[in-house]
Amino acid sequence: MLTRIDHIGIACHDLDATVEFYRATYGFEVFHTEVNDEQGVREAMLKINDTSDGGASYLQLLEPVREDSAVGKWLAKNGEGVHHIAFGTADVDADAADIRGKGVRVLYEEPRRGSMGSRITFLHPKDCHGVLTELVTSAAVESPEH
């Protein structure tokens, strides 16, 4: 069961400048940064608020580290802006299987490693009214068998 908006991913050309914009304009502070080599991005998670299920909601700022990464290609085609929306779930495997059963294409056969040790998968934007959609199980919420 999807429990919250986990984050909204925003593609940018310059992570440091974009972080500074969100800090100076809205007062959002960086909660976590990392480079995800598999996804080809350098990212910053800006925490917006805690949620009732023990998780949180974030803005995820994404700067490609390779032009051939998914975010790099998207940025070259679309420019800076909202890249995807992510919903939090206690069980990404079960929710992905349920959604796949409803005819929505799930992009990864098995969930992959996401930000802060989470497990993630994506849903095809053509099946989600043009919105690239991510499902996220936070590391803190993840069940021990995964």
Side-chain angles (χ1 to χ4, degrees), residues 1 6 31 61 77 93 97 99-100 109 127:
M1 180 174 94
D6 185 86
F31 181 79
L61 306 179
K77 180 180 177 182
D93 297 274
I99 291 168
R100 181 182 283 122
E109 193 60 38
D127 297 342

Side-chain angles (χ1 to χ4, degrees), residues 80-96:
E80 294 185 308
V82 174
H83 179 261
H84 67 274
I85 186 168
F87 295 109
T89 172
D91 190 340
V92 68
D93 297 274
D95 282 330

Side-chain angles (χ1 to χ4, degrees), residues 104-133:
V104 174
R105 287 174 282 178
V106 178
L107 299 183
Y108 302 154
E109 193 60 38
E110 294 290 325
R112 297 182 181 177
R113 182 195 170 284
S115 301
M116 301 183 289
S118 64
R119 295 182 73 244
I120 65 166
T121 196
F122 285 90
L123 309 177
H124 200 292
K126 288 185 179 176
D127 297 342
C128 299
H129 297 273
V131 178
L132 180 62
T133 303

Side-chain angles (χ1 to χ4, degrees), residues 8-15 18 22 41-42 60-64 70-76 78-84:
I8 296 172
I10 299 172
C12 62
H13 292 290
D14 183 334
L15 184 66
T18 306
Y22 281 96
V41 294
R42 185 169 79 106
Q60 179 187 45
L61 306 179
L62 301 158
E63 175 190 58
V71 171
K73 291 176 187 176
W74 188 91
L75 198 54
N78 300 293
E80 294 185 308
V82 174
H83 179 261
H84 67 274

